[in-house]
């Protein structure tokens, strides 16, 4: 490619992780080398409005992107690559990825199916089970279903498709379970009641398309009973221990399962896979995030930094991978 690569960074979004996305995107914009990249931003409001900007200046271009009269599709078609730095529903879940497929523009990260699958903790675990990958056990409830809990207490209750621990509770009694289920149903029509796993929480980064590689994993030490929203985002809320205080063999198991989960989930580009490791070394996959928290000091970036790929290089690599996938798929006939 001659000259600078034109990158459109998508940020904000309609989900409750809007602010987290703004922080992630600020880091990305600050780290994209201006000699190599010409960055524009498309900021999506909580109300779904899309605004085009080149930094400070912003211009409202559309109520929502699919409005055909707006200039946005043409604008997106003009960039070389789109970097969706959006977390949660309407960003990380395949919706935006579908739009980018329609616009035929290269973009960073998992495609439509991989994004939608990983967003849904219930569907994702079924696919992993099908691939023989150990996952946490759960029952799935839909609105109107009687509450079930075959696991005893405590249990974790979560909306099927959200992130950042929003809508998640740990329930220690039947009453708490009822409250937790009600809370989770505020966020989704599908809710998981999950067996409590006692053990060490470990996260592992994965990077690549056809030949994905795992980072060195990290151990999450939350300064709270569990890794809730404030432990995730408040100063001093957690400590990341790299490598985890586990045997080399267990660390290798985590890395292998991270890559297998990435492949089983049809991911591309990047993902962060979250695990529990029980005493004795049994490794369970908890979930996979296709657009993990992405500031320069987020877990994903720190894990790759520890693995020898500093943040600016990680961005270069992700953009290369996006271009490579688009080029590869442009050779297919439909
Ligand atoms: N089954 C479980 N047993 C023990 N702890 C759990 C369980 N499920 C969730 N947790 C705790 O809740 C946290 C959030 O759960 P989970 O990772 O499933 O949610 P999330 O909101 O999708 O997270 P992310 O911000 O990583 O996308 C976990 O990091 C862990 O501390
Ligand atoms: Mg998680």
């Amino acid at each position: 490619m001659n000259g600078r690569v034109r990158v459109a960074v998508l940020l904000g979004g309609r989900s409750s992780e809007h602010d987290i996305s703004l922080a992630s995107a600020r880091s990305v914009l600050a780290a994209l080398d201006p000699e190599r990249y010409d960055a524009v931003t498309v900021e999506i409001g909580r109300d779904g409005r899309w605004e085009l900007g080149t930094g400070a200046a912003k211009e409202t271009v559309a109520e929502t992107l699919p409005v055909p009269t707006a200039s946005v599709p043409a604008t997106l078609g003009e960039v070389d690559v789109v970097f969706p730095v959006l977390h949660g529903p309407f960003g990380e879940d395949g919706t935006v990825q579908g739009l980018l497929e329609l616009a035929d523009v290269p973009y960073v990260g998992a495609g439509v199916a991989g994004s939608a699958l990983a967003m849904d903790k219930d569907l994702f675990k079924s696919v992993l089970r099908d691939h023989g990958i150990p996952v946490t056990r759960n029952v799935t409830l839909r609105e109107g279903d009687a509450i079930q809990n075959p696991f005893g207490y405590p249990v974790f209750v979560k909306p099927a498709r959200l992130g950042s621990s929003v809508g998640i509770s740990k329930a220690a009694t039947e009453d708490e379970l009822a409250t937790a289920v009600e809370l989770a149903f505020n966020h989704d029509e599908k809710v998981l009641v999950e067996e409590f796993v006692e053990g060490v929480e470990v996260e592992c980064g994965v990077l690549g398309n056809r030949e994905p590689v795992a980072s060195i994993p990290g151990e999450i030490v939350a300064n709270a009973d569990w890794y809730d929203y404030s432990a995730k985002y408040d100063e001093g809320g957690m400590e990341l221990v790299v490598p985890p205080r586990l045997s080399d063999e267990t660390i290798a198991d985590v890395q292998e399962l991270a890559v297998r989960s990435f492949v089983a989930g049809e991911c591309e580009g990047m993902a962060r896979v979250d695990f529990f490791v029980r005493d004795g070394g049994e490794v369970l996959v908890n979930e996979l995030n296709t657009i993990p928290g992405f500031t320069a000091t987020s877990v994903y970036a720190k894990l790759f930094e520890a693995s020898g790929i500093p943040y600016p290089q990680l961005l270069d690599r992700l953009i290369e991978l996006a271009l490579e996938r688009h080029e590869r798929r442009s050779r297919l006939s439909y």
Side-chain angles (χ1 to χ4, degrees):
M1 199 171 288
N2 297 318
R4 294 192 300 166
V5 179
R6 290 205 72 193
V7 184
V9 174
L10 300 187
L11 66 156
R14 287 171 59 192
S15 84
S16 49
E17 294 177 280
H18 179 96
D19 293 340
I20 314 300
S21 157
L22 298 186
S24 294
R26 265 195 296 275
S27 266
V28 169
L29 289 163
L32 284 174
D33 178 359
E35 306 248 309
R36 300 186 57 185
Y37 301 107
D38 177 13
V40 294
T41 60
V42 179
E43 183 167 339
I44 306 172
R46 291 267 346 221
D47 60 359
R49 292 162 72 89
W50 291 52
E51 288 185 305
L52 181 67
T54 47
K58 263 191 237 162
E59 170 198 350
T60 299
V61 287
E63 293 294 307
T64 53
L65 187 71
V67 175
T69 52
S71 60
V72 171
T75 307
L76 281 180
E78 279 161 25
V79 300
D80 298 311
V81 60
V82 175
F83 196 152
V85 189
L86 302 166
H87 307 304
F90 315 112
E92 189 179 349
D93 62 351
T95 50
V96 163
Q97 289 73 15
L99 195 68
L100 298 171
E101 289 288 341
L102 290 174
D104 196 24
V105 62
Y107 59 93
V108 170
V112 175
S115 300
L117 183 70
M119 193 75 236
D120 188 319
K121 291 178 164 71
D122 173 54
L123 291 181
F124 183 67
K125 289 202 283 187
S126 334
V127 169
L128 292 200
R129 279 192 297 268
D130 201 41
H131 284 254
I133 297 171
V135 295
T136 51
R137 290 185 301 160
N138 72 280
V139 290
T140 303
L141 304 176
R142 286 163 205 280
E143 265 168 322
D145 287 352
I147 296 178
Q148 298 171 51
N149 172 18
F151 307 117
Y153 289 97
V155 277
F156 266 82
V157 180
K158 9 182 135 162
R161 295 155 287 207
L162 209 61
S164 288
S165 298
V166 175
I168 298 185
S169 327
K170 182 177 176 181
T173 63
E174 202 177 323
D175 279 355
E176 285 179 18
L177 176 59
T179 309
V181 168
E182 194 182 326
L183 171 75
F185 272 126
N186 288 333
H187 298 281
D188 203 331
E189 295 178 322
K190 193 160 73 164
V191 164
L192 279 72
V193 176
E194 208 168 84
E195 126 190 73
F196 172 68
V197 183
E198 180 98 60
V200 179
E201 269 198 82
V202 175
E203 299 188 349
C204 187
V206 182
L207 177 67
N209 285 347
R210 292 304 172 85
E211 287 168 354
V213 294
S215 71
I216 299 173
E219 176 182 339
I220 305 289
V221 182
N223 290 323
D225 179 41
W226 56 282
Y227 197 23
D228 59 11
Y229 189 91
S230 64
K232 278 177 188 172
Y233 302 114
D234 290 353
E235 191 67 35
M238 70 84 114
E239 205 186 314
L240 182 70
V241 182
V242 186
R245 292 164 292 187
L246 298 167
S247 70
D248 290 351
E249 193 192 348
T250 306
I251 290 174
D253 287 347
V254 165
Q255 290 177 306
E256 191 214 315
L257 287 171
V259 169
R260 280 176 60 198
S261 303
F262 186 93
V263 172
E266 306 233 327
C267 290
E268 288 192 284
M270 62 174 162
R272 195 196 71 226
V273 192
D274 298 351
F275 295 90
F276 300 114
V277 180
R278 286 191 161 119
D279 286 356
E282 188 194 359
V283 180
L284 297 174
V285 175
N286 172 30
E287 56 136 6
L288 179 150
N289 300 281
T290 53
I291 311 182
F294 209 79
T295 68
T297 56
S298 292
V299 171
Y300 186 81
K302 281 188 179 163
L303 294 177
F304 273 106
E305 175 120 51
S307 311
I309 306 181
Y311 190 67
Q313 277 179 35
L314 197 55
L315 299 178
D316 293 343
R317 183 74 189 123
L318 286 168
I319 289 168
E320 249 170 53
L321 289 165
L323 296 170
E324 188 247 1
R325 172 185 47 199
H326 188 262
E327 160 65 24
R328 197 181 76 220
R329 295 193 50 204
S330 69
R331 293 196 292 268
L332 300 172
S333 44
Y334 295 97

